[in-house]
Amino acid sequence: MKKNPNPIDTFVGSRVRMRRLMVGMSQEKLADGLGITFQQVQKYEKGTNRIGASRLQAIADILGVHPSFFFQQDENAQSRETAADVHESHEISSFVASKEGIALNRAFLKIADPVLRKKIIALVAAMAQSGETEQTAVPSAARHAEPLHG
């Protein structure tokens, strides 16, 4: 019978993956630094295998963070979160750890002008909201649409 990974191991593993991607390091390079195989790194990142304390310290050193980085989630805040908050938090973490999320964050961090950053956030928020309203409004809008030419 296959045992499901412990949620804490899965969370810590996802934080290892996120940080590794943030610094642009491959699983192979992290594995080399730890003296293990990249398959072992994959198992750590999925939460399939637990990361021991000394190994977690070594991972933190290689990735340039304090070991507490891999556990950062306020327990008091978590108890106040609704299921929707937890789901949204997981979606955000998954996106930030993705290649697109990291690329977007890196590019955004290169923008020094805080006013321009706020404008970009407002633009993206407007585009997201527009996409939501278009999806719900398309059927009725399509019935009343007039030709653009002729």
Side-chain angles (χ1 to χ4, degrees):
M1 183 168 144
K2 188 174 181 182
K3 187 176 154 190
N4 288 334
N6 182 296
I8 295 171
D9 296 330
T10 303
F11 180 78
V12 169
S14 73
R15 298 284 293 176
V16 169
R17 175 177 164 73
M18 179 176 72
R19 180 63 186 170
R20 179 181 59 75
L21 292 171
M22 286 170 68
V23 299
M25 184 180 290
S26 68
Q27 287 179 332
E28 292 83 359
K29 186 164 184 191
L30 178 57
D32 287 346
L34 295 168
I36 59 175
T37 65
F38 80 91
Q39 290 95 338
Q40 183 64 40
V41 171
Q42 286 177 329
K43 290 177 181 180
Y44 286 155
E45 290 183 356
K46 290 179 183 173
T48 307
N49 287 10
R50 284 197 172 138
I51 305 172
S54 59
R55 177 72 38 91
L56 190 62
Q57 179 66 58
I59 291 170
D61 291 344
I62 291 168
L63 297 179
V65 292
H66 190 273
S68 65
F69 172 86
F70 302 114
F71 297 94
Q72 287 180 344
Q73 186 171 19
D74 181 22
E75 289 179 20
N76 294 330
Q78 186 179 9
S79 66
R80 290 188 304 264
E81 287 180 330
T82 65
D85 292 335
V86 171
H87 179 71
E88 182 180 19
S89 177
H90 179 69
E91 284 182 340
I92 291 169
S93 295
S94 295
F95 173 72
V96 170
S98 72
K99 288 181 181 179
E100 295 89 359
I102 289 171
L104 183 62
N105 279 303
R106 281 190 180 137
F108 188 79
L109 289 172
K110 290 178 182 175
I111 301 169
D113 182 358
V115 174
L116 182 55
R117 282 181 172 208
K118 286 181 181 178
K119 287 181 180 181
I120 290 170
I121 293 168
L123 172 66
V124 172
M127 290 171 70
Q129 192 166 11
S130 172
E132 289 173 6
T133 56
E134 281 180 22
Q135 288 174 358
T136 57
V138 165
S140 61
R143 286 191 298 254
H144 303 298
E146 302 211 3
L148 295 176
H149 51 83

